[in-house]
Amino acid sequence: LGSIGSESKPRIVLMGLRRSGKSSISKVVFHKLSPNETLFLESTSKVVKDDISNSSFVQFQIWDFPGQIDFFDPAFDSDHIFGGCGALIFVIDAQDDYRDALVRLHQTVTRAYQVNQSIKFEVFIHKVDGLTDDRKIEAQRDIHQHATEDLSDAGLEGIHLSFYLTSIYDHSIFEAFSRVVQKLIPQLPTLENLLNILISNSGIEKAFLFDVVSKIYIATDSSPVDMQSYELCCDMIDVVIDVSCIYGLRDDVDGTAYDQHSLSIIRLNNGTILYLREVNRFLALVCLLREDVFERQGLIEYNFHCFREAIQEVFDIRRKAMMATPSSASA
Ligand code: GDP
């Protein structure tokens, strides 16, 4: 399945004031930059179309507000930007005075809503690594209150904003991105259902369907997610990709570090097995299971093949449906 059409991929736009952390977020999530390296990034001063659509399940763009972008400026084509956009992430630097950011948030949300009422509005209260737990809660409460008050003062109670506490120095940014992306996947209930069937028939404890490049999980089974398991699975992806890059590529073949043969099993000394397997060009299944269950590896392999076929069907049906309906982008 190399062909999840770009029209059926979740489209995300990242906005916020200059220095709020947008390019750092995109570099850390989509380009494997380590958080410390973002200290030397040049600040974004214009629109950056970060084209990751060839390597990721997710499509996204960054828009910056260096102060001079004006929504009423004809150069800023709101219809184009907001029209086809699934989610708008607005990044607020929580370590800074955020009054200006709140004003920008309000302007951005109201303009975007005029163009596209089905947009999901996501607010990342960012750089919270520098804040104590009390200050995090306080910042979230304060920002939430001001932002929703501004909207209701403008008679726009109908607009819903979601808030996330994020930092590039831990997994919170990946977790927040995962929740944003999941809202945009119409097949989510089906994917969850398939994962539930897979784990209950195989004795697996937890299973995630990952976008390999970004380590965003686009679905998981319905048992609760604990951050430790999620982090463990993220780390496994890094290990597998790194080992493949170092030892798996042959100079004479045009290969990639991740392909249809990608499979890895890691046995931890506490009796847990980590199991990673390619599902399609973008997605991998990563599971946690007990060592004794893994004695029935044949069963797991068989169930996995059924699972992979079902996933392909899910996206194929969607793609065909998208091709059958004419573009609905007209404003
Ligand atoms: P942009 O102008 O919105 O693209 O902002 P940048 O990505 O250039 O980030 C501005 C500064 O914020 C950089 O020095 C980053 O290292 C820093 N930064 C970004 N994210 C975080 C974070 O989660 N925590 C902390 N402490 N600093 C961050």
Side-chain angles (χ1 to χ4, degrees), residues 17-24 38-39 41-44 64 95 126-127 129 167-169:
L17 294 184
R18 178 177 266 179
R19 307 294 294 160
S20 56
K22 298 176 298 300
S23 19
S24 308
T38 66
L39 291 171
L41 280 181
E42 274 190 41
S43 191
T44 18
D64 198 52
Q95 293 188 12
H126 190 56
K127 308 194 192 178
D129 48 276
S167 162
I168 53 168
Y169 286 95

Side-chain angles (χ1 to χ4, degrees), residues 210-259:
F210 269 98
D211 180 41
V212 176
V213 162
S214 61
K215 289 178 284 173
I216 289 169
Y217 67 97
I218 68 156
T220 180
D221 62 273
S222 26
S223 68
V225 176
D226 83 274
M227 274 309 257
Q228 252 188 326
S229 316
Y230 174 60
E231 289 177 22
L232 201 56
C233 294
C234 286
D235 289 346
M236 178 175 196
I237 293 179
D238 282 340
V239 170
V240 171
I241 299 296
D242 286 351
V243 171
S244 302
C245 284
I246 299 168
Y247 300 106
L249 297 181
R250 293 212 321 260
D251 291 341
D252 54 326
V253 184
D254 228 11
T256 53
Y258 177 75
D259 62 22

